[in-house]
Amino acid sequence: MRAVLRAAGVSKAFGPNQVLHDVTFALQRGTIHALVGENGAGKSTLMNILSGVFRPDSGAVMLDDTAVVFENPRHAMARGIRTVHQELSLFPNRSVAANIFGRHQPSNRWGFVRRREMRERAASALARIGSAIDPDALVGELSIGEQQMVEIARALAEEARVLILDEPTSALSEPDAERLFTVLRDLRSSGAAIIYISHKLTEVMRLSDEVTVLRDGRVVGTSPAESVNQDQLVRLMVGRDVAATRPDRTAADASDILVVEGLSRGRTFREVSFSVRSGEILGFAGLVGSGRTEVCRAIFGADRFDRGRVLVNGESVSIRCPRDAIRLGIGYLTEDRKAQGLFLAMSVGANIVAASQPRVATRLAFLRSAVTRATANAWLRRLDIRPQDDRYLAGRLSGGNQQKVLLAKWLAAEPRVLIVDEPTRGVDVGAKAAIHAQLQALAARGLAIVLVSSELPEVMSLSHRIAVFRGGCLVAMLDGRTASADEVMTHAAA
Amino acid sequence: MPPRERLRAWLPRRVPVPLVGLAVTLLVLIAAMTIAFPEFATFANGQVIATGFMPEALMSLGMTAVIVSGGIDLSVGAVLPFTAILAGLMLHAGVSVPLAIGTALICSAVVGLLNAALSSALRVHPFIVTLATMLVLKGVNLVVTGGAPVSGFPTGFTMLGQGTLGGVPAPLIVFTVLATVFGVALRHHRFWQQVYLIGGNPRAAQLAGVPVDRILLVVYAVCALMAGVAGVLVAAAYGSVSAGFGQNSELKVITAVVLGGANLNGGTGSIGGTLLGVLLLAVLYDAFTMTGVSTYWQDVVSGAMVLGSVLAAELLNRRRLLTAS
């Protein structure tokens, strides 16, 4: 079989950081080739090299067994290589149709855009992946899941010989993901070659023909998907055995720390009431868009609410901004770490103390750098954040380590209630296990945790109680020890 | 395609609410002035308005593209006299009219190319680059002219600024043509649509294969070229040029574009909106003159209007986002 696209001995370094070592990777025509590995293993860099975003330091990219040099993404696209990037790369102010076609809007001989044709073709590109999003809607007004569908439709709008998808399902609902898989299988049988990057190993096993595992920038194995199982993959990715976390489900018999009564805002969420105790992990399950994040942001003072009240330690409190919430001991770990969580251009140390300035500052509000650094370094060690350097730029860290920095930021603020929203989105298995273990340890030490997650296994394995949301309402409160996945899904999707 | 649908496809799907507000403000202002001053709604005053604000109107076309791309061009107010002086000196020295105009316009476009090239090569925000260009050109203008006006142009040239065609001043015709070209191009042409992509999300534009640097070269060149056209027309209209032309006009131009709904963060804005903004400013300044309001107060009022319109747009936007979620 002839490889359509091949990386031959590719190496790449960013400054002193060697990201890829002599990586060789061959993608065959008419196959789906999964690329797995922990965050920071070099998958995204490899993908960026194959799609012309970066150029390799050494080694070559071969298209149809001929060495090619992609100067920029445009060159790679012109050769039929399409990518779905992990970070949404859409234009919020433009219509769905304009986004799908980007710079290739259908136009006449003089370059004038044919709007009707563009709308129709956009609609059919969306219909192909089973989506009925209005091509005229503004992308900025769509949900994250819908935006992801637009991003996929864009990659498929034009004939692709090679399609590279980086975590395409991280924001998709189950049915949308299923439809995507069907489309990918169709594409495969029509001869396209697909690189599929994902942390969801079940997906990988179901979908792919071949699997390549990257670890620390090296290829540690390539094999047909049917000849490996999930455990072997995880072992290859991590380089060690990962014990499945089995939570201790004895919720402390303490009093309620946070009580929410009848919280409502328009049609976004209605009459949401719940309480969470010290030492308890309360899971929020539900589909994307069921109002969980909105409720959390309202409690935290990041958004307003119309009706209802919030009690902390039995006292009704007024939280008008996140600062109020932090003073009351509430932390909120956002679901969107890059846009709303981290200061990417600042040091890891500055990020860690960002929510606990009063603790590390003098009375005149000058930051004490010794205290700041000591605090930061203590958390770097405790959460095993790599590299263990408080002066490292937060934006340079891998996704898993960024997520840990975010967690450290809130733990440094010593909250009594911590709301964590999708704490392991786009995070590799190793970092995921570490974050899960941290959450359990924190609960064991008396922290009250609200865990919002769209990954059912995560909610099921960590929560003492599970609150299920549907269409802005809290529709069921289940016992974490006895609830089954079916039961949760029935409530969430009814 | 039936004609009605074809028309629908070309018209904006939803007219932005702030623009409706702007149009209403404009109409109210015009109505009030018409009632209070009978000489306001006359052809003669229309001509005064049209010629008085013509340089800013021309420059606002190019500036709209620059602001949509997420940038800014502070140098237009210096490019205007620079081009006018270049043309003036050449004409004064006896160079033929087309050659003088052509050379001056090319020079103005080169300034724009330099702005974009420096900004992308040095990775410096266009605010800084064009600020520097503005200062350099202001100096050059004074050095070249020695601070004295240049005059003595052939009628073939001054006709461009002072002549009329069927009663319509020549500059207004030039402007109408250019505004139409810009409006159609920004809205319907593939190349100019990419400017919205660059302004909306520069990184995504790069990943989508948009040749960002190349497009910005064109955008800034065209913006400076419009300042050049304004300079040539001003020189022709006054029959003389001096380094003092176009003083602070870049601020009025940016004001007009922002009033017209363009966001300085890039990605939004339209020629239609800009035209409304330009018209409102032009009528407002005319109203100031007519009512005898002190020039000191004029800037206070236009500043307050910018704040007001931005505030209104922001509030409307927030409401829309809340109801959409």
Side-chain angles (χ1 to χ4, degrees):
Chain A
M1 236 191 315
R2 214 169 63 131
V4 183
L5 188 64
R6 194 193 293 274
V10 164
S11 296
K12 177 79 187 174
F14 295 108
N17 198 355
Q18 188 73 35
V19 184
L20 292 177
H21 304 265
D22 192 24
V23 166
T24 295
F25 171 87
L27 177 67
Q28 315 291 343
R29 192 172 180 279
T31 62
I32 297 178
H33 195 140
L35 196 54
V36 298
E38 291 192 273
N39 273 325
K43 295 170 307 211
S44 294
T45 307
L46 179 57
M47 152 180 170
N48 279 328
I49 285 175
L50 293 176
S51 61
V53 179
F54 300 144
R55 260 171 288 173
D57 296 337
S58 62
V61 175
M62 325 261 289
L63 191 65
D64 298 324
D65 292 326
T66 325
V68 286
V69 178
F70 296 135
E71 300 279 341
N72 51 42
R74 196 159 69 245
H75 284 175
M77 280 183 186
R79 304 297 295 270
I81 297 173
R82 304 265 141 196
T83 34
V84 175
H85 291 274
Q86 182 183 1
E87 313 297 337
L88 292 170
S89 50
L90 297 170
F91 308 98
N93 289 325
R94 306 262 81 200
S95 72
V96 168
N99 266 277
I100 287 177
F101 290 100
R103 61 186 296 264
H104 297 288
Q105 301 188 3
S107 51
N108 66 18
R109 182 150 37 124
W110 296 284
F112 288 97
V113 177
R114 297 176 198 272
R115 273 176 207 269
R116 213 170 99 112
E117 184 188 334
M118 180 163 91
R119 250 201 305 271
E120 280 163 5
R121 281 176 52 191
S124 69
L126 285 163
R128 192 169 162 202
I129 53 172
S131 168
I133 300 169
D134 175 12
D136 286 318
L138 283 187
V139 161
E141 291 172 359
L142 302 180
S143 72
I144 297 278
E146 287 173 322
Q147 292 186 9
Q148 184 71 58
M149 294 302 271
V150 172
E151 177 108 28
I152 292 165
R154 171 165 74 171
L156 298 178
E158 277 172 59
E159 224 39 64
R161 298 186 59 212
V162 174
L163 183 63
I164 308 176
L165 302 107
D166 194 355
E167 298 283 352
T169 56
S170 59
L172 291 190
S173 67
E174 205 73 24
D176 283 345
E178 282 308 322
R179 276 196 290 268
L180 172 65
F181 298 155
T182 315
V183 175
L184 294 182
R185 291 194 186 100
D186 287 351
L187 282 173
R188 168 175 63 186
S189 39
S190 67
I194 297 167
I195 299 178
Y196 191 85
I197 301 176
S198 179
H199 289 306
K200 299 186 181 167
L201 295 181
T202 23
E203 274 179 7
V204 165
M205 302 302 294
R206 278 181 50 206
L207 193 64
S208 53
D209 306 300
E210 268 191 289
V211 185
T212 291
V213 182
L214 277 178
R215 186 171 76 227
D216 299 331
R218 290 189 171 80
V219 173
V220 291
T222 296
S223 76
E226 61 261 36
S227 64
V228 287
N229 64 34
Q230 218 161 310
D231 291 340
Q232 290 169 317
L233 275 187
V234 171
R235 225 168 300 137
L236 277 174
M237 285 161 63
V238 185
R240 60 178 192 278
D241 283 310
V242 181
T245 50
R246 205 56 246 164
D248 163 26
R249 292 291 182 81
T250 46
D253 194 20
S255 56
D256 293 337
I257 288 193
L258 176 74
V259 177
V260 171
E261 288 177 356
L263 212 63
S264 305
R265 184 179 78 214
R267 280 171 299 167
T268 315
F269 49 84
R270 288 183 298 272
E271 295 296 329
V272 173
S273 303
F274 66 87
S275 64
V276 55
R277 282 192 294 271
S278 170
E280 182 186 40
I281 300 181
L282 174 66
F284 275 15
L287 302 177
V288 173
S290 56
R292 296 165 301 166
T293 295
E294 289 75 9
V295 168
C296 294
R297 286 179 54 93
I299 295 170
F300 186 59
D303 294 321
R304 56 181 190 85
F305 53 87
D306 302 332
R307 270 176 296 116
R309 59 181 195 148
V310 177
L311 294 90
V312 174
N313 274 339
E315 276 178 53
S316 181
V317 294
S318 136
I319 300 175
R320 272 166 308 189
C321 62
R323 218 148 59 99
D324 294 343
I326 293 168
R327 247 184 248 133
L328 288 165
I330 302 175
Y332 172 67
L333 201 149
T334 168
E335 62 173 335
D336 188 351
R337 62 173 170 264
K338 289 209 168 158
Q340 296 174 20
L342 290 168
F343 305 96
L344 295 170
M346 291 175 73
S347 72
V348 166
N351 270 281
I352 291 178
V353 299
S356 43
Q357 301 272 351
R359 275 171 230 279
V360 295
T362 63
R363 207 176 283 181
L364 289 175
F366 288 103
L367 290 178
R368 286 176 295 197
S369 70
V371 181
T372 307
R373 296 196 59 186
T375 311
N377 279 309
W379 285 108
L380 288 177
R381 277 192 301 278
R382 209 168 134 191
L383 294 182
D384 189 27
I385 296 167
R386 291 183 201 170
Q388 298 221 329
D389 177 359
D390 66 308
R391 286 165 304 183
Y392 204 76
L393 268 191
R396 288 271 177 84
L397 294 178
S398 71
N401 281 308
Q402 286 185 347
Q403 197 66 32
K404 286 186 189 172
V405 169
L406 212 52
L407 185 59
K409 171 171 93 177
W410 286 114
L411 296 181
E414 296 174 18
R416 285 177 291 181
V417 182
L418 183 61
I419 306 171
V420 290
D421 200 348
E422 305 289 358
T424 61
R425 171 181 288 174
V427 159
D428 63 76
V429 274
K432 194 170 184 168
I435 290 170
H436 287 173
Q438 270 302 329
L439 293 178
Q440 288 175 330
L442 290 165
R445 256 177 278 132
L447 188 69
I449 296 177
V450 174
L451 165 70
V452 182
S453 175
S454 296
E455 272 188 56
L456 206 43
E458 184 166 89
V459 183
M460 303 287 300
S461 66
L462 292 177
S463 315
H464 297 107
R465 286 183 302 149
I466 300 171
V468 187
F469 282 73
R470 185 177 70 234
C473 297
L474 200 168
V475 290
M477 185 65 84
L478 309 172
D479 189 323
R481 283 167 302 190
T482 55
S484 70
D486 284 350
E487 202 178 340
V488 175
M489 280 321 287
T490 318
H491 287 294
Chain B
M1 199 180 345
R4 243 182 87 190
E5 264 195 45
R6 183 173 302 176
L7 189 67
R8 265 244 314 271
W10 271 67
L11 286 174
R13 277 261 301 179
R14 35 182 149 182
V15 177
V17 187
L19 288 193
V20 177
L22 196 61
V24 170
T25 314
L26 180 63
L27 288 178
V28 168
L29 183 64
I30 290 176
M33 287 302 291
T34 311
I35 294 165
F37 297 89
E39 67 270 34
F40 178 81
T42 58
F43 186 72
N45 190 48
Q47 272 196 338
V48 169
I49 294 178
T51 44
F53 220 70
M54 189 53 63
E56 282 84 359
L58 276 164
M59 289 190 280
S60 72
L61 298 176
M63 187 68 82
T64 305
V66 166
I67 289 180
V68 167
S69 81
I72 193 129
D73 187 349
L74 297 177
S75 69
V76 288
V79 172
L80 184 153
F82 175 70
T83 318
I85 290 165
L86 267 184
L89 287 176
M90 277 186 281
L91 292 166
H92 195 73
V95 176
S96 78
V97 173
L99 185 63
I101 293 178
T103 317
L105 288 184
I106 288 171
C107 288
S108 69
V110 169
V111 174
L113 288 176
L114 274 177
N115 280 337
L118 284 173
S119 170
S120 66
L122 305 176
R123 303 265 157 232
V124 177
H125 195 279
F127 185 97
I128 302 296
V129 174
T130 58
L131 181 68
T133 316
M134 174 184 92
L135 293 172
V136 169
L137 283 184
K138 277 190 171 174
V140 168
N141 292 339
L142 286 169
V143 169
V144 172
T145 57
V150 180
S151 57
F153 308 143
T155 32
F157 180 71
T158 49
M159 273 294 289
L160 277 177
Q162 298 161 9
T164 57
L165 199 73
V168 186
L172 187 57
I173 297 174
V174 174
F175 173 74
T176 311
V177 171
L178 286 174
T180 313
V181 170
F182 267 85
V184 172
L186 266 182
R187 191 163 162 65
H188 295 289
H189 197 276
R190 233 172 64 171
F191 179 87
W192 292 95
Q193 282 277 301
Q194 295 181 83
V195 179
Y196 286 90
L197 303 187
I198 295 172
N201 187 347
R203 207 188 114 69
Q206 196 94 47
L207 289 177
V210 174
V212 175
D213 290 346
R214 229 185 295 161
I215 289 176
L216 288 181
L217 277 178
V218 177
V219 168
Y220 281 85
V222 164
C223 180
L225 180 64
M226 284 304 107
V229 172
V232 167
L233 290 180
V234 167
Y238 291 91
S240 98
V241 297
S242 88
F245 279 9
Q247 197 80 274
N248 291 337
S249 58
E250 68 277 349
L251 297 181
K252 283 185 200 158
V253 171
I254 294 169
T255 306
V257 175
V258 170
L259 276 177
N263 185 325
L264 281 182
N265 294 329
T268 53
S270 66
I271 293 294
T274 294
L275 289 184
L276 274 179
V278 164
L279 214 57
L280 182 59
L281 272 195
V283 171
L284 198 66
Y285 277 99
D286 185 65
F288 287 145
T289 324
M290 204 164 271
T291 49
V293 172
S294 132
T295 43
Y296 301 151
W297 278 104
Q298 299 182 2
D299 292 340
V300 175
V301 173
S302 50
M305 272 184 18
V306 171
L307 273 184
S309 69
V310 170
L311 190 71
E314 183 61 30
L315 288 176
L316 286 165
N317 212 11
R318 218 177 278 166
R319 239 205 16 233
R320 194 185 61 186
L321 286 183
L322 278 182
T323 46
S325 66

